[in-house]
Amino acid sequence: MNASNPFILLALGILAFLGAVVLVACGKKTLFRNTFILFVIAFLGGMSFYSTLYFSGELTSSGVLYAVFRGLFSTARMFAFADDYSFFAGVPSAEWLTNNAFLFLLFWLFHCIAALVSVLTILSIFGRKLTEQIRIRFRRYSCAYIICGVSPNSLALARNIATHDGALISPDPKRLIVFLDKFISDEMLNSVEEVGGAAFDYSAVSFSSRLVLAGLGASPKRIASIKIIFMRTDYENVMSLFSESVECAESRAVAKNRLDIYVQTDSCLSNQDIFDFSSRKRAFGLHKFSETELAARSLLSLRPPWACLSFEKGVAVKNFSMMILGFGSFGEELLCRFIMNGQFVGSRARAIVIDSKMDRLKEPFKRKRPSIEMCCDLDFINADVGSETFYNYLDETVFGIDYIIIALGETGPNLNTAQNLLEFFRRADKKIPVIAVRFPEGEGEEKNNNVLFFSKRDKIFSETLVIHEDSDRMASAVNYAYNFSVNGQAPEKTREELWDELSDFNKESSRATADFIPAMLAIAGLDEKQAIERERLTDDDSVAELLAHTEHIRWNAFHCVMGYTPMSLEMMKARFDKSASASCLKDADKKRHGCLVEYDSLDKVSDFFNKLMDSKALPRRDFKREDRFISKNIPKILKSKKDDR
């Protein structure tokens, strides 16, 4: 058999190429493991063949040791894309190889494997971008996560996405994670590879071309869904990239249910600029998040306000009170979230906020939320935490506080303040409240001393909090139930269609309702498993009415936090005279709402509203009934986490 037979060489070449593509597409860890296995196979096979050939017949004149060393040398040459077959061509003692088709093919197959190992090794060292491109193009994924901006926060999110928030030991191979940044250093690339991701820069090419490379142009069969996550802090650049992403998605006609875009924002201006896109028809879902919001939601999941109270037949037995130390961006977000989640029948929420710069922080907060004290008693104290004024105030007011949140801005002062407060309560021989400390390096809950550490990067930049698919499924079920209650019958559109049509404000409102469901379960005395098995949350009509009452004051708190104020009946009538429609109930531009009243006043609002509607033969509404309907349908809303309508 001729060693230079072109058909054999072509077949082996094709085999090597296909093998390289398949192995590179498997991913980095699989590539390294399989490359090592192939190396062992090629080395042992080459050594066996060459040592035997050198040991055969007249080639043994220099002894066994010589044959082994020559075999080792020839085997090494296999990995340098060379062979020593010419030494044996035409030698009678090598006819066992040259005249045996199977062994002859096996001999060259080991050479092919050796060449493949060399190519894979070179690619893994010098061609990382190429190998990643092959992996992206030749594999199928359930979802592609395109993260714009390489930072400790984005790497933490990628790690949680890859492992399903730590549920898996190694990254899920069905999830593609790609980082895009203007410049990618070797250090950044190594960090990305540690979380099982790929990284590409767009310094010399367009951002949209990198989006296509990362999966935006892939067919649904290859990548089922796509999520673009912006985690850069230079907002002007984010706006440009965001616009380019929208145009790229629209130009490629990406299906509406395949693409979601997430934007991390920390300023009102950037939020407004980005979410101006809400007014146009778009082929994707749009979401926003901020580090302060994630930290607040994380803390609420660790220890919510309802966990500090007890309930008797739906009524809280005491008021909920809290103290916030530090009123920067974190302190303000935490106050708003705790007001929204601290509303219970029988309890009047109270918050004491202390900051050394309170004189210039209080008024902007209250002007943005002029009706906030409808749902919470607020005490703003101008004092240095740790000063004599601060401790004098503690002596007078702190006993009976359920929750103290320390968010002073720096880790050291936060920890020192927590330790000082623990000593203060121990010396006074008083019950220690929950003390929550903003401490990025902290983790979990310190049960021995009532201290919670929150805002840890790996905890807040999680798939659950940022992507929140379960939360949105529940929120969409809340919206569906709301539409059911308003119309008196099941909506014609699906739950997903109704959700897609919602404004960003109304989506946030539905999310707030969904987030409060654990509190409603606690009031009803049920856990989630028990609630799911029921048709309605409670069979006790008095408790059901208290749950509806609770839902309304929670709704009030959400709107107050969002800056809404009550709308008088006279103002509603004036708006109806102009519009002759149900829109008279709410003025989104001036942030006024006719239902922003006490629960007992809702019947009066319903009666007045229905008289207006009757005059134009428009549908009537019962606002108390709508609150009852939401609380009644909590079991169905909970089931939506697993089931789609």
Side-chain angles (χ1 to χ4, degrees), residues 11 153 167 174 240 279 336 338 351 487 526 542 571 616 623:
N153 290 344
K174 292 295 184 180
S240 174
S279 61
C336 291
F338 270 77
N487 299 319
L526 300 172
S542 63
M571 193 177 298
K616 297 293 183 180
F623 300 119

Side-chain angles (χ1 to χ4, degrees), residues 57-68:
E58 60 266 28
L59 299 175
T60 61
S61 57
S62 298
V64 176
L65 189 60
Y66 171 80
V68 172

Side-chain angles (χ1 to χ4, degrees), residues 5-138:
N5 190 319
F7 296 104
I8 295 178
L9 297 178
L10 178 61
L12 294 177
I14 293 173
L15 182 63
F17 172 76
L18 294 176
V21 170
V22 171
L23 288 173
V24 170
C26 289
K28 183 179 177 181
K29 290 187 176 180
T30 304
L31 174 63
F32 286 167
R33 182 180 68 248
N34 291 343
T35 300
F36 178 75
I37 293 172
L38 290 174
F39 168 78
V40 173
I41 293 172
F43 179 81
L44 293 178
M47 277 293 294
S48 299
F49 271 104
Y50 277 113
S51 296
T52 303
L53 285 167
Y54 283 118
F55 192 69
S56 299
E58 60 266 28
L59 299 175
T60 61
S61 57
S62 298
V64 176
L65 189 60
Y66 171 80
V68 172
F69 276 109
R70 283 297 305 270
L72 181 62
F73 178 76
S74 294
T75 301
R77 280 171 48 80
M78 289 168 52
F79 296 94
F81 308 99
D83 68 86
D84 287 335
Y85 177 77
S86 59
F87 285 101
F88 315 108
V91 177
S93 60
E95 289 179 354
W96 62 270
L97 171 65
T98 56
N99 292 336
N100 188 306
F102 173 75
L103 291 179
F104 185 79
L105 183 62
L106 189 62
F107 174 79
W108 287 109
L109 180 61
F110 284 131
H111 282 76
C112 179
I113 294 174
L116 176 60
V117 169
S118 299
V119 170
L120 292 174
T121 303
I122 293 170
L123 285 175
S124 64
I125 297 174
F126 301 106
R128 290 194 287 190
K129 289 186 178 180
L130 177 60
T131 59
E132 294 298 348
Q133 290 184 35
I134 294 174
R135 179 166 68 92
I136 293 171
R137 293 182 183 278
F138 287 89

Side-chain angles (χ1 to χ4, degrees), residues 555-605:
W555 182 93
N556 278 357
F558 171 81
H559 280 76
C560 287
V561 165
M562 300 301 285
Y564 271 72
T565 58
M567 177 188 291
S568 67
L569 300 180
E570 293 75 19
M571 193 177 298
M572 191 189 305
K573 174 66 165 60
R575 285 177 54 79
F576 181 78
D577 290 341
K578 292 181 180 180
S579 67
S581 70
S583 63
C584 66
L585 184 67
K586 175 182 175 181
D587 186 340
D589 294 331
K590 296 181 179 179
K591 293 190 174 183
R592 292 171 180 162
H593 205 297
C595 290
L596 197 52
V597 297
E598 297 295 332
Y599 186 69
D600 292 338
S601 300
L602 272 181
D603 286 335
K604 182 179 179 180
V605 176

Side-chain angles (χ1 to χ4, degrees), residues 154-200:
S154 62
L155 289 168
L157 175 61
R159 187 178 299 106
N160 283 322
I161 289 173
T163 62
H164 297 245
D165 283 341
L168 303 179
I169 297 176
S170 57
D172 184 347
K174 292 295 184 180
R175 291 185 169 187
L176 171 64
I177 298 176
V178 180
F179 284 84
L180 302 180
D181 212 328
K182 194 164 187 178
F183 301 101
I184 303 288
S185 66
D186 288 340
E187 183 180 356
M188 294 164 68
L189 191 57
N190 291 333
S191 298
V192 168
E193 289 182 346
E194 287 177 3
V195 299
F200 302 100

